[in-house]
Amino acid sequence: MSEFKPEHTSVLLDEVIGFLELESGSVVIDATLGLGGHTEAILERFDNARVIGIDQDERALAAASERLRRFGKRFVDVHSNFSAITKVAVDHGVTSVDAIIADLGVSSMQLDDPERGFSFRFDAPLDMRMDTTSGRTATELLEELKEEEIANLIYSYGEERKSRRIARWIVERREKGQPIQATAELAQLVERAVGRSPKNKIHPATRTFQALRIAVNDELGVLDRFIADSVDLLKPNGKLCVITFHSLEDRIVKQTFQRLSGRCFCPPRIPRCVCGAVKRVEILTRKPVIATEAEMKANPRSRSAKLRVCRKLAN
Ligand SMILES: C[S@@+](CC[C@H](N)C(=O)[O-])C[C@H]1O[C@@H](n2cnc3c(N)ncnc32)[C@H](O)[C@@H]1O
């Protein structure tokens, strides 16, 4: 491993802590441990709280475990995707928990790591997997998908209007037997495909990189199941806090919370509810909580952060 100093500033930290209201001895699952910023605050502020910290990135786990070592047995780290949250709890002898937090997406540590391929700021293999022990790399994905599939994912996950043109260029290059192996190659290809306006400060490949990262890690695919499983795991009155950074992610959280709060999603022409709506949670954030001006100024990454919280109802 290279000499790389991991850093990440936790977003909406006071807001998350404010919602938790934990009693002494509470058990919490941090489903996206990252560098452990939220977990550290929980362990510091709530007496005898214990945290099970999950992350699919082994480097993040190693860095967080080092940071949280002083809490001894009050903290355990688990290498897993949060889609397996129920199994993680069972494996640790836990049947219900007081709170679950998820701070989605990538950490600054991952974006700033020159070897991981998340950013075109560094020339690196085009990998982008948070879990480097499994799954397809971005290079493999771009080799295997059809042109239309590449265009669709760049359009929907990256909100890139010129997605068809970018996909065409990627496939033309592939047909010449030159797969895209490195971040710099993809950044240059996108720049040549769509051009660069001198007025635009954002690099033209930014949206394509974001889209590929979301696809490689199937970031949206596991989210609604994770929320439903988390609600199953919570004790009555337990809280689920989810922070998102992407509009599609936020929409999934919002709609899943609404469904779990008993809202019926049947089409209006159906006379009787058939979607099986059951009220299992109370939504505590009618609108998502966003960062204060001061936090946005200090940490520009917090500008797109949205926190939604729900409380499990007693049966
Ligand atoms: C924004 S960071 C979390 C930062 C953390 N809250 C802190 O304060 O340091 C998100 C982390 O979640 C992890 N992650 C994202 N999706 C995941 C998933 N489906 N399963 C497990 N970990 C995931 C990423 O590897 C990353 O380390």
Side-chain angles (χ1 to χ4, degrees):
M1 282 190 196
S2 61
E3 278 302 307
F4 161 68
K5 193 171 174 306
E7 278 174 24
H8 178 83
T9 306
S10 304
V11 301
L12 296 168
L13 190 62
D14 292 336
E15 289 80 355
V16 169
I17 296 295
F19 274 107
L20 291 184
E21 300 175 310
L22 298 174
E23 287 172 7
S24 178
S26 292
V27 178
V28 177
I29 297 183
D30 183 346
T32 55
L33 181 67
L35 272 196
H38 287 95
T39 286
E40 181 176 62
I42 291 168
L43 292 167
E44 277 173 352
R45 295 191 205 179
F46 298 107
D47 271 357
N48 297 321
R50 289 191 293 130
V51 179
I52 300 172
I54 301 174
D55 207 293
Q56 59 178 333
D57 183 333
E58 288 182 315
R59 280 197 182 190
L61 279 180
S65 301
E66 182 65 34
R67 175 181 188 175
L68 302 168
R69 195 202 304 257
R70 68 193 158 102
F71 296 101
K73 289 193 175 143
R74 292 177 61 205
F75 167 72
V76 284
D77 64 302
V78 184
H79 179 231
S80 171
N81 191 298
F82 60 55
S83 59
I85 188 167
T86 311
K87 179 177 183 308
V88 171
V90 170
D91 288 350
H92 288 80
V94 170
T95 49
S96 60
V97 298
D98 299 276
I100 296 173
I101 62 170
D103 171 19
L104 301 173
V106 268
S107 67
S108 309
M109 168 190 168
Q110 290 162 324
L111 290 172
D112 294 344
D113 188 333
E115 294 176 4
R116 305 290 296 272
F118 285 109
S119 167
F120 47 78
R121 283 182 289 136
F122 314 99
D123 192 16
L126 192 63
D127 187 324
M128 293 199 186
R129 287 171 303 161
M130 294 184 196
D131 183 353
T132 53
T133 64
S134 70
R136 289 185 292 185
T137 66
T139 291
E140 287 163 350
L141 201 70
L142 292 181
E143 275 292 276
E144 289 162 23
L145 294 184
K146 294 191 191 118
E147 181 177 332
E148 195 188 348
E149 291 170 326
I150 297 175
N152 288 346
L153 85 82
I154 295 175
Y155 182 75
S156 51
Y157 298 162
E159 294 167 275
E160 168 61 70
R161 283 183 300 119
K162 294 180 180 164
S163 59
R164 302 220 166 278
R165 196 171 161 76
I166 296 169
R168 177 91 287 269
W169 278 58
I170 290 171
V171 170
E172 270 172 13
R173 191 183 149 129
R174 176 168 102 182
E175 284 165 356
K176 286 185 203 147
Q178 301 167 347
I180 301 173
Q181 311 252 6
T183 50
E185 290 168 14
L186 180 62
Q188 281 158 18
L189 178 142
V190 175
E191 190 170 350
R192 289 209 312 276
V194 303
R196 184 173 197 167
S197 146
K199 278 192 230 144
N200 198 345
K201 284 196 203 128
I202 298 173
H203 190 286
T206 306
R207 285 188 285 270
T208 301
F209 270 70
Q210 172 185 283
L212 263 181
R213 189 206 84 213
I214 291 174
V216 164
N217 296 290
D218 191 21
E219 291 179 35
L220 304 178
V222 292
L223 201 47
D224 55 352
R225 186 72 258 158
F226 160 73
I227 293 171
D229 288 348
S230 294
V231 169
D232 284 343
L233 259 183
L234 285 174
K235 291 179 187 166
N237 279 326
K239 311 266 176 61
L240 170 62
C241 302
V242 186
I243 301 173
T244 62
F245 293 87
H246 190 286
S247 56
L248 291 176
E249 230 171 34
D250 181 57
R251 193 186 308 158
I252 294 173
V253 178
K254 179 179 167 185
Q255 291 181 348
T256 311
F257 275 20
Q258 283 174 340
R259 212 180 58 238
L260 290 163
S261 73
R263 180 155 156 189
C264 169
F265 278 91
C266 293
R269 64 192 157 72
I270 293 188
R272 231 172 354 110
C273 171
V274 289
C275 71
V278 178
K279 189 169 171 63
R280 302 195 61 212
V281 304
E282 176 196 6
I283 297 172
L284 302 183
T285 45
R286 206 171 54 80
K287 287 200 168 143
V289 176
I290 58 170
T292 59
E293 283 293 325
E295 180 174 1
M296 289 189 199
K297 221 168 165 187
N299 178 15
R301 201 178 149 271
S302 68
R303 283 177 204 277
S304 48
K306 289 191 173 136
L307 167 67
R308 293 187 187 268
V309 185
C310 67
R311 177 180 73 86
K312 182 167 176 174
L313 297 171
N315 290 331

